[in-house]
Amino acid sequence: MRRAVNFRCFLVSLACVLGAVLLLCLAPLKIGIILSAALAAVLLAFIVVFALNGKLVACAAFIVSFLGVAAAFVSVLLTFSSWVSELEDGKEYYFAGKIDAVSVAETSASYVLSDVTADGSGIDGKLNLYVVTENGINTSFLKRGDRIFFKSEAEFVVLLNDSPDGYAYRNDIRYVSYALEDEIEFLRTEPDFFDSLRNSISGVLDKNMGQYGALAFGMLTGEKGSLDAEVRDYYSASGLGHILAVSGLHVGFVALMVSWVTDRLRLHRYARLACMGAVLLFYCFLASFSPSVIRASVMCMLGLAASSFGKEKDPFNSLCFAVTAVLAVKPLYLFDIGFQMSVAAVAGILFFARGLNRIFLHILPKFLSSPLSSSFAAQLGITPVVLIYFQTFPAYSVLVNMLAIPLVSVAFVVLTAGLIIALLFPSAGVVLTA
């Protein structure tokens, strides 16, 4: 007899890891440690009981839950213990650091610096430098991988508060400094492979696409720093901000392109799995390991692995496993808005898209009902997050996304193909111009 309830083990593991992270981060630290240790003890008891009764599936589920809770427990405590300021408040230091990320506006610029030294001594974590610009001369030529020098005070980004800063934790940003443009001195260039690649991509796009180069760069890599604030506001207000934040949509495009190539090459299923894994890992590096990219890549690999080994795909189980794995390793991603919206959008599609599609099929043709139901379901999923953080709701975003996504799909594929051609053969950059 078929069971009415599908026991999804990774839903249990996700609930346990979420509980442990919330207890450790939102409760007083000592109480959080005691309660999370009690949770781990309960899970261990369940493992013993199910093992003695021969219930291997339930036993495996609670083993995963226990390991996830233990990993999150250790990671949170290590993070809290390491996030201690090494600098004095109100004191000026001579800082030097390598630029990891660039964000330039009309009157200001922002740089995330790694490998930071203060008065010649290395410090842990990164520093976010905000620069007030006048003529834009210094900010116009500074790129990722450049090492710069400046004198300033530094404010410590506090982690132990009511709501940990997910963005700061994700990027390991521990200090914030402010300086004037003429106070920044260029030392030398020392880009790594991915810094050089991002600089090359940005340069090729800007050269061949003009004012649209920054938009294309944001669409491909998720880095929006070179876009005008007005353009970013337009995308956010219309509900299309996810196009400029590398997410499951972009990973899906990459996966489709890789699948198309491997199908044409008639590779063995295991070779296809290896190629997909390598390309998605490369894309994660290019997108600076954005939480949404990691989540989407794990889900994609799980689905492909299930197909390769002849197993049935379960997207909801894959989502729960992906979030469990991410939070077990990087538990403070839970407080990152991008990660929350990414997970909420996918959950909305999994929960609501099929039911909405049945309703829309009564009044719309299939080619319209399917994208409309997916767009509406994703919007339902992210609405609570949007209302909590932004206190606004773009009512027309469902329709806008339904119209825009097919165009974006084509644009992403064309941009990727044109960019590869332009990088290999600079004289062929006219492909991007067109």
Side-chain angles (χ1 to χ4, degrees), residues 333-345 382 385 389:
Y333 272 16
L334 179 61
F335 302 95
D336 188 279
I337 299 175
F339 182 70
Q340 294 175 15
M341 294 187 69
S342 173
V343 174
I382 67 172
V385 181
Y389 287 107

Side-chain angles (χ1 to χ4, degrees), residues 82-243:
S82 65
W83 277 65
V84 178
S85 178
E86 301 174 64
L87 305 177
E88 298 180 20
D89 291 336
K91 179 182 177 181
E92 286 193 335
Y93 291 88
Y94 290 97
F95 289 105
K98 183 172 75 74
I99 297 176
D100 273 359
V102 179
S103 178
V104 179
E106 291 184 5
T107 59
S108 64
S110 171
Y111 303 98
V112 176
L113 306 179
S114 63
D115 189 22
V116 180
T117 61
D119 288 343
S121 300
I123 59 175
D124 292 332
K126 299 180 181 180
L127 182 147
N128 200 353
L129 172 64
Y130 293 95
V131 181
V132 178
T133 64
E134 293 182 359
N135 51 32
I137 294 177
N138 286 359
T139 57
S140 63
F141 74 85
L142 291 177
K143 299 182 182 299
R144 302 162 199 84
D146 289 346
R147 193 164 186 84
I148 60 176
F149 175 84
F150 62 97
K151 183 180 180 181
S152 176
E153 298 178 7
E155 299 176 6
F156 181 58
V157 177
V158 180
L159 183 68
L160 289 168
N161 53 22
D162 294 335
S163 180
D165 187 340
Y167 174 79
Y169 169 71
R170 169 161 61 91
N171 294 281
D172 196 23
I173 296 173
R174 306 194 187 187
Y175 302 94
V176 176
S177 284
Y178 301 87
L180 298 176
E181 184 180 29
D182 56 8
E183 296 174 341
I184 308 300
E185 296 183 24
F186 172 78
L187 293 179
R188 60 184 180 275
T189 298
E190 45 186 37
D192 58 23
F193 172 78
F194 285 99
D195 286 334
S196 299
L197 180 60
R198 293 188 195 98
N199 289 333
S200 298
I201 291 173
S202 179
V204 167
L205 293 175
D206 289 341
K207 177 182 177 181
N208 294 287
M209 300 183 69
Q211 61 179 325
Y212 300 106
L215 183 64
F217 186 71
M219 185 184 296
L220 292 171
T221 67
E223 193 171 315
K224 306 180 287 292
S226 300
L227 273 175
D228 290 338
E230 189 177 12
V231 174
R232 294 198 297 267
D233 290 342
Y234 283 148
Y235 272 83
S236 298
S238 63
L240 293 172
H242 60 90
I243 292 174

